Amino acid sequence: MLLAAGFFQFSAPALGWVVVLTAAVALGLGVLAWSQGLRARRLRGLVAEQEHVRRILDSALDAVIAIDAEGRIIEWNNQAERMFGWKRAEILGQRLSSTIIPPRYREQHERGLRLYLTTGRGEVLNRRVEFTALRRDGSEFPVELSIAPVSWEGKTTFTAFVRDISERRESEKQLEQSLSLLQATLESTADGILVVDNAGKIVSYNRKFLDMWRIPDVVIAARDDNLALSYVLDQLKDPEQFLAKVRELYADPEAESYDILEFKDGRVFERYSQPQRLGGRTIGRVWSFRDVTQRKEAAEALRRSEESYRQLFERATYGIYRSTLDGRLVTVNPALVRMLGYDSAEELLAIDMARDLYLDPAERARLIERYRTSGVIEDVEVAWKRKDGKPVVVRLSGTALRDESGEVTGFEMIVEDVTERRALEEQLRQAQKMESIGQLTGGIAHDFNNLLTVILANAEMIGRNLPPEASDLRADLEELRGAAQRGASMVKKLLAFSRRDELRFAPVNLAQLAAELMGMLRRLVPASIELRLLGQDCEACVMADRGAIEQILVNLVTNARDAMPEGGVLTIETVETYLDEEFRSDHGWGEPGPYVILSVSDTGTGMDQKTKERVFEPFFTTKPPGAGTGLGLAMTYGLVKHHRGFIEILSEPKAGTTVRIYLPKVTEEAVEPHPKISSVSETGGRETILLVEDDPAVRRAAVRVLEKQGYTVIVAADGIEALDLFDRHADRIDLVLSDVVMPRMGGRSLYEALKKKDRMPRFMFTSGYTAGEIKERGSLPPEVPFLQKPWTVTDLVRSVREVLDRH
Ligand SMILES: Nc1ncnc2c1ncn2[C@@H]1O[C@H](COP(=O)(O)OP(=O)(O)OP(=O)(O)O)[C@@H](O)[C@H]1O
Ligand SMILES: [Mg+2]
């Protein structure tokens, strides 16, 4: 178009538009002119020739226009009429510049025409140029034209062949548009694209490609393929592999391939390479690259986070599971498998939850009902069982899983095994209960002891002074004494329960002790009961008070006897065992270590759960009034605790009972029991006794008994007073009989103080045992004789004589 405009600007002045016939026509006319035929024939012929030429011109598809040197139109063919909308008759003689040249080019056209005519120069003559033409209706359109000057009969004319190129322009425009669209598309893809020809030469690429590969513009502009390739290779982690691939693909133009490229700087590209085909021919290769670093990183991050969640799941100490609504486990973690004692996750996954997991299969359904609506399960305790059937208490927390419609499809739960904690709590609760009952009973028992001592001593004194004929009174007195003695034995049990009695610990071989006691125990049971003793070969020793063990055995054997009114088998057994952590977690008690178990089993009535829970409570009994006081097991419990042991009751209704006493095993050898007051003589004496006793009634009773036996008695109300009296009468005092707990100074301190004196008299303790005392010291020196309160006159008289007679 510009070119065309240029033609008219610079060359048009040289053009005189002339009506011209074509070169052929010109030639034809020449020939005609030169022919010297008949004039008429010539004329006729001339007209015919002109007509012929006219037709030839009109048959042309191009507009054929001629102008004379003035720029007037002298020829205008049919096609020109159609093209410009001017009739031949109308336009002939008109100036070209005022008809078909757009006004803006007219001036230049005129100039160009003039220039040619004066100089003979015309830049656009004799070649095809494009320019803009004007239709009669004022519309413009693109044309291609060729202009040639024709000299005819001394005049210059110009012939133009004009072709409407509107359509061509339109399709060119479309092509151009689609090409730029293609380019724009190429530029807007997410991929870097490189197109090479079959020889590997770069044909095209997009900006993205350059950016992704960080190829400087200068490198690509150089179109130096090797330089570009070296740029590419430098960045790769494994350039050799990439190069090999490139070679392989160039060797096989039809191959398609894909792989992942890793960069030294951590980026990751996906690479595709496809043959580029045109009309069924492979003309090159298209490489496309996509930066997937972020995607890879995201995938890697996801993988890492999944891995860490998986580890959390795998390593959790809590059990974790996912289950379906109908009670199938879908996922379980190793902790759950362990907790429930299964061999593998597969094994656990195969179970039916309600049937194999819940102790009460209906409980699962109840739970689901309860949590269906809320969907959140928080710290719900349920009773499950392990693979081996052992019960476990678990605490469940989690949520319900729902489908799109909101229906519950399953559950996701965390499981905590709280069996041990619950058992420990139960133990603690039990211990606290016992402790408070113990405090209560202990306080009362001590006061009772002194009362009973007074009653017993006085009853006996009265008895001794009664004339032989007062037999009725004597019987009443016996009644009184009997009752007081029963009271005393109850108090003793209460004190044992509250652990306020005095125990003297020494290594004891339990099996041997049980054997020694068999004679006594046998007398407790009727012939209908078979008494068996097992575990005689057990040589293990425990730290124990022999008397306490004896009392324990008496209690247990009595209970077993009472449980077998129809007879049965009563077994006493000693066995060594080791309590480990597992035992403790199963039972909720049991300091790990070696133990000796003393067990008493019967084949009697057994106990239900409710009874079992209360048996250690003082005064709990199921026996009819008068038959049982409910103190046997309370006392046993207290004694066992005092020995740092444990007591376990295994019992089911109608299935008999086994009571196991666990006492910590020691390595020391059993020692002979400390001296016991064994003298049977009830004779008095002339010696002087220092009686140290804070309770005035007890003191009075003792003084009366002893003086009656001929002894001289000096009394003191506490240790301080006793020391003072001793200092004054040291050489006279043969025996110090001292209570243990007294205000200011107790018996033990008195004993220690006296030991430091030049002369140590014989010494004997007597006590009602109190809590304070137990706190004050461990145990009394075992070598010192001990008289337990409440004592009877006989007890007192015998022990005093015995101690005085000791060498
Ligand atoms: N071997 C056993 N078989 C069945 N039940 C038992 C057995 N041992 C104890 N019991 C139950 O435990 C209760 C409490 O026992 P405990 O020895 O403490 O008191 P008691 O035997 O009733 O009375 P006490 O021992 O003071 O004479 C009993 O009443 C009985 O119900
Ligand atoms: Mg009993």
Side-chain angles (χ1 to χ4, degrees), residues 117-139:
L117 290 175
T118 47
T119 66
R121 276 196 288 120
E123 284 176 24
V124 296
L125 295 179
N126 296 321
R127 55 193 183 94
R128 286 177 204 282
V129 293
E130 288 178 9
F131 118 99
T132 305
L134 182 69
R135 289 199 191 90
R136 187 177 194 181
D137 64 10
S139 59

Side-chain angles (χ1 to χ4, degrees), residues 123-380:
E123 284 176 24
V124 296
L125 295 179
N126 296 321
R127 55 193 183 94
R128 286 177 204 282
V129 293
E130 288 178 9
F131 118 99
T132 305
L134 182 69
R135 289 199 191 90
R136 187 177 194 181
D137 64 10
S139 59
E140 295 185 2
F141 65 104
V143 293
E144 182 191 83
L145 60 82
S146 55
I147 302 165
V150 177
S151 291
W152 180 248
E153 295 176 343
K155 286 181 186 157
T156 303
T157 62
F158 300 92
T159 314
F161 297 87
V162 186
R163 185 174 291 173
D164 184 345
I165 57 166
S166 299
E167 275 179 26
R168 200 173 80 198
R169 269 294 158 76
E170 192 51 39
S171 61
E172 274 172 10
K173 212 163 98 190
Q174 275 173 10
L175 183 67
E176 196 180 326
Q177 210 166 30
S178 68
L179 272 175
S180 55
L181 209 65
L182 205 66
Q183 186 62 33
T185 310
L186 194 69
E187 287 299 343
S188 359
T189 66
D191 297 344
I193 292 170
L194 172 73
V195 184
V196 294
D197 65 13
N198 278 338
K201 282 249 165 260
I202 295 170
V203 176
S204 78
Y205 53 87
N206 63 359
R207 187 78 234 166
K208 191 92 190 169
F209 168 77
L210 299 186
D211 292 347
M212 281 172 70
W213 284 96
R214 297 172 185 167
I215 300 174
D217 287 340
V218 286
V219 171
I220 202 83
R223 295 268 162 177
D224 183 335
D225 303 332
N226 283 332
L227 186 60
L229 188 62
S230 75
Y231 241 88
V232 165
L233 292 176
D234 269 359
Q235 303 177 51
L236 293 172
K237 255 192 195 164
D238 190 351
E240 280 311 311
Q241 193 194 16
F242 179 69
L243 204 57
K245 197 81 207 171
V246 170
R247 289 200 191 106
E248 186 189 314
L249 288 172
Y250 284 154
D252 179 3
E254 299 302 322
E256 298 182 0
S257 87
Y258 157 84
D259 64 9
I260 296 279
L261 301 178
E262 288 185 33
F263 282 61
K264 286 176 185 158
D265 64 6
R267 287 182 302 154
V268 181
F269 284 7
E270 274 177 2
R271 174 195 63 68
Y272 299 86
S273 182
Q274 316 263 33
Q276 186 189 38
R277 294 203 182 88
L278 190 67
R281 220 158 43 86
T282 299
I283 57 165
R285 181 164 280 284
V286 179
W287 297 80
S288 55
F289 303 92
R290 178 166 297 184
D291 188 340
V292 293
T293 315
Q294 279 189 348
R295 201 174 74 200
K296 281 264 161 192
E297 279 170 1
E300 176 61 17
L302 184 69
R303 196 195 61 70
R304 273 200 303 269
S305 105
E306 275 174 359
E307 171 67 15
S308 90
Y309 276 116
R310 199 184 59 77
Q311 295 214 345
L312 193 68
F313 176 76
E314 294 287 325
R315 293 184 190 163
T317 47
Y318 289 110
I320 301 172
Y321 73 83
R322 195 176 287 153
S323 67
T324 62
L325 188 62
D326 61 359
R328 295 259 148 220
L329 288 165
V330 184
T331 325
V332 293
N333 75 338
L336 189 69
V337 176
R338 269 196 310 277
M339 189 189 295
L340 297 173
Y342 283 84
D343 296 328
S344 66
E346 290 68 40
E347 195 184 24
L348 181 56
L349 286 172
I351 68 161
D352 176 276
M353 291 179 74
R355 187 193 61 208
D356 303 322
L357 212 51
Y358 283 80
L359 266 188
D360 169 10
E363 189 170 5
R364 180 163 194 271
R366 284 199 295 272
L367 275 179
I368 290 177
E369 224 21 74
R370 216 162 93 208
Y371 293 102
R372 209 183 194 124
T373 38
S374 81
V376 179
I377 298 115
E378 234 172 276
D379 295 342
V380 181

Side-chain angles (χ1 to χ4, degrees), residues 559-560 563 602 605-607 615 620-623 628-633 657:
N559 283 351
D602 63 58
T605 54
M607 286 175 256
V615 286
F620 173 80
T621 179
T622 59
K623 293 170 189 172
T629 57
L631 287 173
L633 286 178
T657 302

